[in-house]
Amino acid sequence: MVMYNSPSHRGSTPQKQVPDGPIAGFAALIESSASEDWQKRITALEELVRAIPDGSTYLNGTAWYNTPKTLCHLVSPVSELIKDPRSSVVRRVCGALGDLFRKCQSDARLFFKDLMPSILAVHGQTVQVIRQAVQAMVLEAIPEVPCKSVMPIWMDRLKDKSPAVRDACSLYLGHALEYWTEEGYLTDEIWIQVGNCLLKAMRDPSPTVRKHAKTALVHMQHRHPNRWKTLQNDPSGPAASDNKLKRWLQTLGNSDEAEELSIASKYTYNSDSRF
């Protein structure tokens, strides 16, 4: 039986192995082929995703595609593909991933979370057309794949040195708050934690980060007024000791001070404080 190692999680427990099958065959092909063989590699991914059935057929039985832990074995080979410097390759990878997330939905939640560091690494590069393709794929995936465990990654990376990474994380956090609406899925604690993180982002030097953060906070104020009040009155939140931020919060950013919130303070993206 052919075996290969799964991606490790935080480098702690020993790596598990997955038996020979569609994912193992795909991973072996990626390992044994050079990046110049991109046509063969992309075709293999597309064929793998096409093998995932739609609708009621998908739910009939337990297979590699509806087992969350098994899907995680796709992280390493897909990461190599999505980091390819050719935009044509990344666009096709994103197309295949979009289909996978649409078909697998919540079963792909662990794969989505474990793939996110590679996705954010792509955002850190300078080719805009590639970043746009990846961003479009993630925005389409978020409504299909509820995955609150990915939110701490976005929150942490809002301190990244790359403005493009911070732009993406602020956008993804707001998109998740808008679409992960199942009752009880995002607890009050999560809402307040993410809300305070977005308040800190209002001090970010990137206007795009501030724009995405403000949009998410406006959504919270309109759709979740009780949580908004809790955020306003949080004694441990960033606004509690930042008067300008507190005034901005009280007026929901509709003041002339809004554009000045990027002025450096202890709440900027490179702070040592934890979200």
Side-chain angles (χ1 to χ4, degrees), residues 22 46-67 71 98-105 107:
E46 291 170 340
E47 289 178 350
L48 185 74
V49 174
R50 275 197 295 270
I52 303 174
D54 277 300
S56 59
T57 307
Y58 174 89
L59 300 173
N60 188 15
T62 301
W64 62 269
Y65 47 77
N66 54 19
T67 308
L71 281 170
D99 288 341
L100 184 149
F101 291 131
R102 177 183 58 79
K103 290 179 176 181
C104 297
Q105 298 188 347
D107 288 332

PDB file of all heavy atoms in Angstrom, residues 22 46-67 71 98-105 107:
ATOM      1  N   PRO A  22      -7.049   8.456  -4.537  1.00  0.00           N
ATOM      2  CA  PRO A  22      -7.008   9.628  -5.420  1.00  0.00           C
ATOM      3  C   PRO A  22      -6.104  10.748  -4.913  1.00  0.00           C
ATOM      4  O   PRO A  22      -5.333  11.324  -5.682  1.00  0.00           O
ATOM      5  CB  PRO A  22      -8.471  10.077  -5.471  1.00  0.00           C
ATOM      6  CG  PRO A  22      -9.254   8.831  -5.196  1.00  0.00           C
ATOM      7  CD  PRO A  22      -8.438   8.059  -4.213  1.00  0.00           C
ATOM      8  N   GLU A  46      -7.643  19.209 -11.671  1.00  0.00           N
ATOM      9  CA  GLU A  46      -8.986  19.378 -12.222  1.00  0.00           C
ATOM     10  C   GLU A  46      -9.727  18.052 -12.315  1.00  0.00           C
ATOM     11  O   GLU A  46     -10.932  17.972 -12.031  1.00  0.00           O
ATOM     12  CB  GLU A  46      -8.896  20.055 -13.590  1.00  0.00           C
ATOM     13  CG  GLU A  46      -8.439  21.508 -13.504  1.00  0.00           C
ATOM     14  CD  GLU A  46      -8.117  22.123 -14.856  1.00  0.00           C
ATOM     15  OE1 GLU A  46      -7.878  21.361 -15.824  1.00  0.00           O
ATOM     16  OE2 GLU A  46      -8.087  23.369 -14.949  1.00  0.00           O
ATOM     17  N   GLU A  47      -9.028  16.989 -12.674  1.00  0.00           N
ATOM     18  CA  GLU A  47      -9.654  15.665 -12.746  1.00  0.00           C
ATOM     19  C   GLU A  47     -10.041  15.172 -11.358  1.00  0.00           C
ATOM     20  O   GLU A  47     -11.091  14.545 -11.172  1.00  0.00           O
ATOM     21  CB  GLU A  47      -8.699  14.672 -13.417  1.00  0.00           C
ATOM     22  CG  GLU A  47      -8.532  14.915 -14.912  1.00  0.00           C
ATOM     23  CD  GLU A  47      -7.545  13.952 -15.537  1.00  0.00           C
ATOM     24  OE1 GLU A  47      -6.847  13.233 -14.779  1.00  0.00           O
ATOM     25  OE2 GLU A  47      -7.458  13.920 -16.782  1.00  0.00           O
ATOM     26  N   LEU A  48      -9.198  15.467 -10.370  1.00  0.00           N
ATOM     27  CA  LEU A  48      -9.500  15.076  -8.997  1.00  0.00           C
ATOM     28  C   LEU A  48     -10.780  15.754  -8.522  1.00  0.00           C
ATOM     29  O   LEU A  48     -11.662  15.111  -7.936  1.00  0.00           O
ATOM     30  CB  LEU A  48      -8.333  15.465  -8.084  1.00  0.00           C
ATOM     31  CG  LEU A  48      -8.427  15.015  -6.620  1.00  0.00           C
ATOM     32  CD1 LEU A  48      -8.160  13.524  -6.501  1.00  0.00           C
ATOM     33  CD2 LEU A  48      -7.443  15.788  -5.755  1.00  0.00           C
ATOM     34  N   VAL A  49     -10.919  17.044  -8.803  1.00  0.00           N
ATOM     35  CA  VAL A  49     -12.101  17.786  -8.366  1.00  0.00           C
ATOM     36  C   VAL A  49     -13.340  17.352  -9.146  1.00  0.00           C
ATOM     37  O   VAL A  49     -14.443  17.260  -8.588  1.00  0.00           O
ATOM     38  CB  VAL A  49     -11.863  19.301  -8.507  1.00  0.00           C
ATOM     39  CG1 VAL A  49     -13.134  20.085  -8.209  1.00  0.00           C
ATOM     40  CG2 VAL A  49     -10.739  19.758  -7.568  1.00  0.00           C
ATOM     41  N   ARG A  50     -13.160  17.057 -10.437  1.00  0.00           N
ATOM     42  CA  ARG A  50     -14.314  16.583 -11.227  1.00  0.00           C
ATOM     43  C   ARG A  50     -14.856  15.263 -10.701  1.00  0.00           C
ATOM     44  O   ARG A  50     -16.046  14.955 -10.891  1.00  0.00           O
ATOM     45  CB  ARG A  50     -13.920  16.438 -12.699  1.00  0.00           C
ATOM     46  CG  ARG A  50     -14.026  17.728 -13.496  1.00  0.00           C
ATOM     47  CD  ARG A  50     -14.046  17.462 -14.986  1.00  0.00           C
ATOM     48  NE  ARG A  50     -12.787  16.893 -15.445  1.00  0.00           N
ATOM     49  CZ  ARG A  50     -11.744  17.598 -15.878  1.00  0.00           C
ATOM     50  NH1 ARG A  50     -11.831  18.924 -15.905  1.00  0.00           N
ATOM     51  NH2 ARG A  50     -10.642  17.011 -16.272  1.00  0.00           N
ATOM     52  N   ALA A  51     -14.016  14.492 -10.046  1.00  0.00           N
ATOM     53  CA  ALA A  51     -14.453  13.199  -9.513  1.00  0.00           C
ATOM     54  C   ALA A  51     -15.349  13.352  -8.289  1.00  0.00           C
ATOM     55  O   ALA A  51     -15.997  12.387  -7.869  1.00  0.00           O
ATOM     56  CB  ALA A  51     -13.230  12.348  -9.152  1.00  0.00           C
ATOM     57  N   ILE A  52     -15.397  14.556  -7.728  1.00  0.00           N
ATOM     58  CA  ILE A  52     -16.266  14.800  -6.574  1.00  0.00           C
ATOM     59  C   ILE A  52     -17.693  15.013  -7.082  1.00  0.00           C
ATOM     60  O   ILE A  52     -17.928  15.921  -7.876  1.00  0.00           O
ATOM     61  CB  ILE A  52     -15.806  16.042  -5.785  1.00  0.00           C
ATOM     62  CG1 ILE A  52     -14.356  15.880  -5.327  1.00  0.00           C
ATOM     63  CG2 ILE A  52     -16.709  16.278  -4.580  1.00  0.00           C
ATOM     64  CD1 ILE A  52     -13.777  17.126  -4.672  1.00  0.00           C
ATOM     65  N   PRO A  53     -18.637  14.198  -6.651  1.00  0.00           N
ATOM     66  CA  PRO A  53     -20.011  14.353  -7.155  1.00  0.00           C
ATOM     67  C   PRO A  53     -20.716  15.561  -6.554  1.00  0.00           C
ATOM     68  O   PRO A  53     -20.274  16.138  -5.561  1.00  0.00           O
ATOM     69  CB  PRO A  53     -20.686  13.048  -6.711  1.00  0.00           C
ATOM     70  CG  PRO A  53     -19.921  12.632  -5.493  1.00  0.00           C
ATOM     71  CD  PRO A  53     -18.499  13.070  -5.724  1.00  0.00           C
ATOM     72  N   ASP A  54     -21.814  15.922  -7.160  1.00  0.00           N
ATOM     73  CA  ASP A  54     -22.639  17.033  -6.691  1.00  0.00           C
ATOM     74  C   ASP A  54     -23.863  16.510  -5.952  1.00  0.00           C
ATOM     75  O   ASP A  54     -24.267  15.357  -6.121  1.00  0.00           O
ATOM     76  CB  ASP A  54     -23.119  17.895  -7.871  1.00  0.00           C
ATOM     77  CG  ASP A  54     -22.088  18.908  -8.314  1.00  0.00           C
ATOM     78  OD1 ASP A  54     -21.711  19.755  -7.486  1.00  0.00           O
ATOM     79  OD2 ASP A  54     -21.657  18.857  -9.469  1.00  0.00           O
ATOM     80  N   GLY A  55     -24.461  17.379  -5.144  1.00  0.00           N
ATOM     81  CA  GLY A  55     -25.788  17.134  -4.587  1.00  0.00           C
ATOM     82  C   GLY A  55     -25.927  15.892  -3.754  1.00  0.00           C
ATOM     83  O   GLY A  55     -25.042  15.512  -2.982  1.00  0.00           O
ATOM     84  N   SER A  56     -27.052  15.205  -3.922  1.00  0.00           N
ATOM     85  CA  SER A  56     -27.373  14.051  -3.086  1.00  0.00           C
ATOM     86  C   SER A  56     -26.383  12.916  -3.295  1.00  0.00           C
ATOM     87  O   SER A  56     -26.127  12.139  -2.374  1.00  0.00           O
ATOM     88  CB  SER A  56     -28.798  13.562  -3.380  1.00  0.00           C
ATOM     89  OG  SER A  56     -28.928  13.214  -4.750  1.00  0.00           O
ATOM     90  N   THR A  57     -25.821  12.806  -4.478  1.00  0.00           N
ATOM     91  CA  THR A  57     -24.828  11.756  -4.736  1.00  0.00           C
ATOM     92  C   THR A  57     -23.609  11.947  -3.843  1.00  0.00           C
ATOM     93  O   THR A  57     -22.994  10.983  -3.391  1.00  0.00           O
ATOM     94  CB  THR A  57     -24.394  11.775  -6.212  1.00  0.00           C
ATOM     95  OG1 THR A  57     -25.556  11.714  -7.033  1.00  0.00           O
ATOM     96  CG2 THR A  57     -23.494  10.604  -6.532  1.00  0.00           C
ATOM     97  N   TYR A  58     -23.265  13.184  -3.572  1.00  0.00           N
ATOM     98  CA  TYR A  58     -22.118  13.491  -2.715  1.00  0.00           C
ATOM     99  C   TYR A  58     -22.312  12.916  -1.317  1.00  0.00           C
ATOM    100  O   TYR A  58     -21.374  12.439  -0.681  1.00  0.00           O
ATOM    101  CB  TYR A  58     -21.948  15.014  -2.632  1.00  0.00           C
ATOM    102  CG  TYR A  58     -20.891  15.470  -1.659  1.00  0.00           C
ATOM    103  CD1 TYR A  58     -19.572  15.619  -2.064  1.00  0.00           C
ATOM    104  CD2 TYR A  58     -21.205  15.739  -0.335  1.00  0.00           C
ATOM    105  CE1 TYR A  58     -18.597  16.030  -1.167  1.00  0.00           C
ATOM    106  CE2 TYR A  58     -20.240  16.148   0.564  1.00  0.00           C
ATOM    107  CZ  TYR A  58     -18.937  16.296   0.144  1.00  0.00           C
ATOM    108  OH  TYR A  58     -17.968  16.705   1.035  1.00  0.00           O
ATOM    109  N   LEU A  59     -23.538  12.962  -0.821  1.00  0.00           N
ATOM    110  CA  LEU A  59     -23.817  12.550   0.555  1.00  0.00           C
ATOM    111  C   LEU A  59     -23.962  11.048   0.700  1.00  0.00           C
ATOM    112  O   LEU A  59     -24.107  10.545   1.821  1.00  0.00           O
ATOM    113  CB  LEU A  59     -25.110  13.229   1.028  1.00  0.00           C
ATOM    114  CG  LEU A  59     -25.099  14.763   1.020  1.00  0.00           C
ATOM    115  CD1 LEU A  59     -26.490  15.284   1.342  1.00  0.00           C
ATOM    116  CD2 LEU A  59     -24.081  15.287   2.001  1.00  0.00           C
ATOM    117  N   ASN A  60     -23.930  10.314  -0.379  1.00  0.00           N
ATOM    118  CA  ASN A  60     -24.174   8.874  -0.349  1.00  0.00           C
ATOM    119  C   ASN A  60     -22.891   8.125   0.016  1.00  0.00           C
ATOM    120  O   ASN A  60     -22.085   7.777  -0.830  1.00  0.00           O
ATOM    121  CB  ASN A  60     -24.697   8.405  -1.714  1.00  0.00           C
ATOM    122  CG  ASN A  60     -25.146   6.950  -1.687  1.00  0.00           C
ATOM    123  OD1 ASN A  60     -25.320   6.385  -0.619  1.00  0.00           O
ATOM    124  ND2 ASN A  60     -25.321   6.377  -2.866  1.00  0.00           N
ATOM    125  N   GLY A  61     -22.712   7.907   1.312  1.00  0.00           N
ATOM    126  CA  GLY A  61     -21.543   7.164   1.755  1.00  0.00           C
ATOM    127  C   GLY A  61     -20.438   8.077   2.264  1.00  0.00           C
ATOM    128  O   GLY A  61     -20.557   9.294   2.302  1.00  0.00           O
ATOM    129  N   THR A  62     -19.329   7.454   2.675  1.00  0.00           N
ATOM    130  CA  THR A  62     -18.167   8.180   3.178  1.00  0.00           C
ATOM    131  C   THR A  62     -16.997   7.945   2.246  1.00  0.00           C
ATOM    132  O   THR A  62     -16.581   6.814   2.025  1.00  0.00           O
ATOM    133  CB  THR A  62     -17.798   7.706   4.597  1.00  0.00           C
ATOM    134  OG1 THR A  62     -18.915   7.914   5.464  1.00  0.00           O
ATOM    135  CG2 THR A  62     -16.604   8.488   5.134  1.00  0.00           C
ATOM    136  N   ALA A  63     -16.484   9.010   1.677  1.00  0.00           N
ATOM    137  CA  ALA A  63     -15.373   8.911   0.727  1.00  0.00           C
ATOM    138  C   ALA A  63     -14.331   9.962   1.079  1.00  0.00           C
ATOM    139  O   ALA A  63     -14.508  10.755   2.001  1.00  0.00           O
ATOM    140  CB  ALA A  63     -15.893   9.115  -0.702  1.00  0.00           C
ATOM    141  N   TRP A  64     -13.234   9.975   0.329  1.00  0.00           N
ATOM    142  CA  TRP A  64     -12.162  10.932   0.620  1.00  0.00           C
ATOM    143  C   TRP A  64     -12.643  12.366   0.545  1.00  0.00           C
ATOM    144  O   TRP A  64     -12.195  13.227   1.290  1.00  0.00           O
ATOM    145  CB  TRP A  64     -10.996  10.718  -0.345  1.00  0.00           C
ATOM    146  CG  TRP A  64     -11.328  10.948  -1.802  1.00  0.00           C
ATOM    147  CD1 TRP A  64     -11.765  10.018  -2.703  1.00  0.00           C
ATOM    148  CD2 TRP A  64     -11.252  12.191  -2.509  1.00  0.00           C
ATOM    149  NE1 TRP A  64     -11.971  10.602  -3.925  1.00  0.00           N
ATOM    150  CE2 TRP A  64     -11.659  11.932  -3.844  1.00  0.00           C
ATOM    151  CE3 TRP A  64     -10.886  13.491  -2.168  1.00  0.00           C
ATOM    152  CZ2 TRP A  64     -11.708  12.933  -4.820  1.00  0.00           C
ATOM    153  CZ3 TRP A  64     -10.932  14.491  -3.130  1.00  0.00           C
ATOM    154  CH2 TRP A  64     -11.335  14.202  -4.445  1.00  0.00           C
ATOM    155  N   TYR A  65     -13.609  12.641  -0.316  1.00  0.00           N
ATOM    156  CA  TYR A  65     -14.030  14.024  -0.542  1.00  0.00           C
ATOM    157  C   TYR A  65     -15.005  14.534   0.506  1.00  0.00           C
ATOM    158  O   TYR A  65     -15.229  15.738   0.588  1.00  0.00           O
ATOM    159  CB  TYR A  65     -14.637  14.185  -1.939  1.00  0.00           C
ATOM    160  CG  TYR A  65     -15.646  13.122  -2.322  1.00  0.00           C
ATOM    161  CD1 TYR A  65     -16.933  13.143  -1.816  1.00  0.00           C
ATOM    162  CD2 TYR A  65     -15.299  12.096  -3.199  1.00  0.00           C
ATOM    163  CE1 TYR A  65     -17.851  12.171  -2.155  1.00  0.00           C
ATOM    164  CE2 TYR A  65     -16.215  11.115  -3.559  1.00  0.00           C
ATOM    165  CZ  TYR A  65     -17.484  11.156  -3.031  1.00  0.00           C
ATOM    166  OH  TYR A  65     -18.392  10.186  -3.375  1.00  0.00           O
ATOM    167  N   ASN A  66     -15.652  13.663   1.299  1.00  0.00           N
ATOM    168  CA  ASN A  66     -16.522  14.168   2.353  1.00  0.00           C
ATOM    169  C   ASN A  66     -16.024  13.778   3.744  1.00  0.00           C
ATOM    170  O   ASN A  66     -16.794  13.643   4.690  1.00  0.00           O
ATOM    171  CB  ASN A  66     -17.983  13.741   2.154  1.00  0.00           C
ATOM    172  CG  ASN A  66     -18.138  12.246   1.992  1.00  0.00           C
ATOM    173  OD1 ASN A  66     -17.262  11.481   2.362  1.00  0.00           O
ATOM    174  ND2 ASN A  66     -19.275  11.840   1.443  1.00  0.00           N
ATOM    175  N   THR A  67     -14.705  13.623   3.851  1.00  0.00           N
ATOM    176  CA  THR A  67     -14.054  13.363   5.131  1.00  0.00           C
ATOM    177  C   THR A  67     -13.066  14.494   5.401  1.00  0.00           C
ATOM    178  O   THR A  67     -12.007  14.569   4.757  1.00  0.00           O
ATOM    179  CB  THR A  67     -13.308  12.007   5.104  1.00  0.00           C
ATOM    180  OG1 THR A  67     -14.206  10.988   4.664  1.00  0.00           O
ATOM    181  CG2 THR A  67     -12.765  11.660   6.476  1.00  0.00           C
ATOM    182  N   LEU A  71      -9.322  15.284   3.480  1.00  0.00           N
ATOM    183  CA  LEU A  71      -9.120  16.403   2.559  1.00  0.00           C
ATOM    184  C   LEU A  71      -7.905  17.243   2.942  1.00  0.00           C
ATOM    185  O   LEU A  71      -7.300  17.891   2.091  1.00  0.00           O
ATOM    186  CB  LEU A  71     -10.361  17.285   2.519  1.00  0.00           C
ATOM    187  CG  LEU A  71     -11.526  16.785   1.662  1.00  0.00           C
ATOM    188  CD1 LEU A  71     -12.770  17.629   1.904  1.00  0.00           C
ATOM    189  CD2 LEU A  71     -11.159  16.799   0.186  1.00  0.00           C
ATOM    190  N   GLY A  98     -12.307  26.531  -6.338  1.00  0.00           N
ATOM    191  CA  GLY A  98     -13.662  27.052  -6.219  1.00  0.00           C
ATOM    192  C   GLY A  98     -14.696  25.949  -6.361  1.00  0.00           C
ATOM    193  O   GLY A  98     -15.679  25.894  -5.603  1.00  0.00           O
ATOM    194  N   ASP A  99     -14.485  25.049  -7.320  1.00  0.00           N
ATOM    195  CA  ASP A  99     -15.404  23.921  -7.501  1.00  0.00           C
ATOM    196  C   ASP A  99     -15.352  22.985  -6.299  1.00  0.00           C
ATOM    197  O   ASP A  99     -16.384  22.470  -5.850  1.00  0.00           O
ATOM    198  CB  ASP A  99     -15.045  23.149  -8.774  1.00  0.00           C
ATOM    199  CG  ASP A  99     -15.410  23.907 -10.035  1.00  0.00           C
ATOM    200  OD1 ASP A  99     -16.242  24.836  -9.950  1.00  0.00           O
ATOM    201  OD2 ASP A  99     -14.860  23.579 -11.112  1.00  0.00           O
ATOM    202  N   LEU A 100     -14.151  22.741  -5.775  1.00  0.00           N
ATOM    203  CA  LEU A 100     -14.007  21.847  -4.618  1.00  0.00           C
ATOM    204  C   LEU A 100     -14.756  22.411  -3.414  1.00  0.00           C
ATOM    205  O   LEU A 100     -15.506  21.690  -2.747  1.00  0.00           O
ATOM    206  CB  LEU A 100     -12.526  21.658  -4.291  1.00  0.00           C
ATOM    207  CG  LEU A 100     -12.192  20.672  -3.162  1.00  0.00           C
ATOM    208  CD1 LEU A 100     -10.843  19.996  -3.417  1.00  0.00           C
ATOM    209  CD2 LEU A 100     -12.143  21.358  -1.789  1.00  0.00           C
ATOM    210  N   PHE A 101     -14.575  23.696  -3.129  1.00  0.00           N
ATOM    211  CA  PHE A 101     -15.252  24.287  -1.976  1.00  0.00           C
ATOM    212  C   PHE A 101     -16.758  24.307  -2.167  1.00  0.00           C
ATOM    213  O   PHE A 101     -17.520  24.100  -1.218  1.00  0.00           O
ATOM    214  CB  PHE A 101     -14.726  25.697  -1.728  1.00  0.00           C
ATOM    215  CG  PHE A 101     -13.303  25.736  -1.236  1.00  0.00           C
ATOM    216  CD1 PHE A 101     -12.356  26.575  -1.824  1.00  0.00           C
ATOM    217  CD2 PHE A 101     -12.901  24.932  -0.180  1.00  0.00           C
ATOM    218  CE1 PHE A 101     -11.055  26.605  -1.370  1.00  0.00           C
ATOM    219  CE2 PHE A 101     -11.591  24.958   0.279  1.00  0.00           C
ATOM    220  CZ  PHE A 101     -10.668  25.800  -0.319  1.00  0.00           C
ATOM    221  N   ARG A 102     -17.214  24.532  -3.385  1.00  0.00           N
ATOM    222  CA  ARG A 102     -18.649  24.532  -3.666  1.00  0.00           C
ATOM    223  C   ARG A 102     -19.237  23.156  -3.446  1.00  0.00           C
ATOM    224  O   ARG A 102     -20.353  23.015  -2.907  1.00  0.00           O
ATOM    225  CB  ARG A 102     -18.907  24.989  -5.103  1.00  0.00           C
ATOM    226  CG  ARG A 102     -20.378  24.953  -5.520  1.00  0.00           C
ATOM    227  CD  ARG A 102     -20.535  25.359  -6.978  1.00  0.00           C
ATOM    228  NE  ARG A 102     -19.771  24.512  -7.880  1.00  0.00           N
ATOM    229  CZ  ARG A 102     -20.141  23.301  -8.284  1.00  0.00           C
ATOM    230  NH1 ARG A 102     -21.285  22.771  -7.831  1.00  0.00           N
ATOM    231  NH2 ARG A 102     -19.395  22.607  -9.120  1.00  0.00           N
ATOM    232  N   LYS A 103     -18.519  22.115  -3.832  1.00  0.00           N
ATOM    233  CA  LYS A 103     -19.025  20.751  -3.696  1.00  0.00           C
ATOM    234  C   LYS A 103     -18.909  20.242  -2.253  1.00  0.00           C
ATOM    235  O   LYS A 103     -19.841  19.644  -1.720  1.00  0.00           O
ATOM    236  CB  LYS A 103     -18.255  19.812  -4.625  1.00  0.00           C
ATOM    237  CG  LYS A 103     -18.531  20.017  -6.106  1.00  0.00           C
ATOM    238  CD  LYS A 103     -17.701  19.052  -6.944  1.00  0.00           C
ATOM    239  CE  LYS A 103     -18.028  19.150  -8.425  1.00  0.00           C
ATOM    240  NZ  LYS A 103     -17.240  18.183  -9.240  1.00  0.00           N
ATOM    241  N   CYS A 104     -17.771  20.463  -1.636  1.00  0.00           N
ATOM    242  CA  CYS A 104     -17.503  19.876  -0.319  1.00  0.00           C
ATOM    243  C   CYS A 104     -18.050  20.713   0.832  1.00  0.00           C
ATOM    244  O   CYS A 104     -18.345  20.178   1.899  1.00  0.00           O
ATOM    245  CB  CYS A 104     -15.996  19.674  -0.139  1.00  0.00           C
ATOM    246  SG  CYS A 104     -15.261  18.524  -1.321  1.00  0.00           S
ATOM    247  N   GLN A 105     -18.151  22.002   0.645  1.00  0.00           N
ATOM    248  CA  GLN A 105     -18.699  22.922   1.644  1.00  0.00           C
ATOM    249  C   GLN A 105     -18.055  22.695   3.022  1.00  0.00           C
ATOM    250  O   GLN A 105     -16.842  22.734   3.141  1.00  0.00           O
ATOM    251  CB  GLN A 105     -20.220  22.802   1.663  1.00  0.00           C
ATOM    252  CG  GLN A 105     -20.838  23.185   0.324  1.00  0.00           C
ATOM    253  CD  GLN A 105     -22.343  23.261   0.336  1.00  0.00           C
ATOM    254  OE1 GLN A 105     -23.021  22.820   1.259  1.00  0.00           O
ATOM    255  NE2 GLN A 105     -22.911  23.831  -0.723  1.00  0.00           N
ATOM    256  N   ASP A 107     -17.333  20.242   4.745  1.00  0.00           N
ATOM    257  CA  ASP A 107     -16.343  19.158   4.835  1.00  0.00           C
ATOM    258  C   ASP A 107     -14.936  19.641   4.475  1.00  0.00           C
ATOM    259  O   ASP A 107     -13.948  18.995   4.831  1.00  0.00           O
ATOM    260  CB  ASP A 107     -16.734  17.995   3.916  1.00  0.00           C
ATOM    261  CG  ASP A 107     -17.931  17.219   4.444  1.00  0.00           C
ATOM    262  OD1 ASP A 107     -18.121  17.194   5.678  1.00  0.00           O
ATOM    263  OD2 ASP A 107     -18.678  16.665   3.626  1.00  0.00           O
TER     264      ASP A 107
END
